[in-house]
């Protein structure tokens, strides 16, 4: 979780170049899908100035399950909500891109 500042979510374009996919701000989560799935991240985070974060190790989080199931449930609920927001934003961007390509007759 970003407690202060901002992070750019970037993807490698090759040859040392990258593109910014999204910018995360204070209160946003980063790496939530990899946290749940345990799979490697597909994007890189780059600090945009002074940034402070709070991290939780997966094993430490899982150890809370027995004694604090409600806390674990609420964290997982938040992760699902964040994931839904990302999916909604991506769907909207896809629709806008499709409209653009259709209206320009796929000319570059």
């Amino acid at each position: 979780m970003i407690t202060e500042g901002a992070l750019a979510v970037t993807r490698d374009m090759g040859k040392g170049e990258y593109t910014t996919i999204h910018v995360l701000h204070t209160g946003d989560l980063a790496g939530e899908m990899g946290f749940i799935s345990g799979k490697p991240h597909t994007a890189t985070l780059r600090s945009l100035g002074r940034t402070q974060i709070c991290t939780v190790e997966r094993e430490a989080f899982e150890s809370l399950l027995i004694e604090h199931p409600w806390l674990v449930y609420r964290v997982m609920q938040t992760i699902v909500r964040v994931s839904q927001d990302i999916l909604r934003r991506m769907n909207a961007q896809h629709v806008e891109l499709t409209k653009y390509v259709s209206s320009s007759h796929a000319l570059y």
Side-chain angles (χ1 to χ4, degrees):
M1 173 181 265
I2 302 169
T3 58
E4 181 181 326
L7 296 172
V9 181
T10 65
R11 290 291 302 261
D12 186 358
M13 300 291 287
K15 299 181 182 178
E17 295 182 23
Y18 64 91
T19 185
T20 299
I21 300 170
H22 189 64
V23 176
L24 301 170
H25 300 279
T26 301
D28 288 338
L29 298 180
E32 66 280 349
M33 296 305 291
F35 180 79
I36 298 302
S37 70
K39 294 187 179 183
H41 301 288
T42 58
T44 300
L45 299 175
R46 296 174 181 270
S47 177
L48 300 175
R50 184 172 182 264
T51 303
Q52 185 174 11
I53 61 169
C54 175
T55 63
V56 177
E57 296 295 327
R58 186 176 173 164
E59 293 77 24
F61 178 70
E62 288 173 347
S63 73
L64 297 172
L65 192 54
I66 301 300
E67 291 188 34
H68 303 284
W70 184 249
L71 174 63
V72 172
Y73 171 75
R74 293 306 299 256
V75 169
M76 296 301 290
Q77 197 176 40
T78 299
I79 290 172
V80 168
R81 188 172 53 251
V82 166
S83 299
Q84 280 183 315
D85 291 344
I86 291 168
L87 184 58
R88 282 188 187 109
R89 187 179 70 246
M90 289 175 64
N91 286 342
Q93 289 172 343
H94 173 75
V95 167
E96 289 303 312
L97 181 59
T98 300
K99 285 182 194 176
Y100 174 76
V101 169
S102 294
S103 69
S104 67
H105 304 291
L107 297 176
Y108 296 104

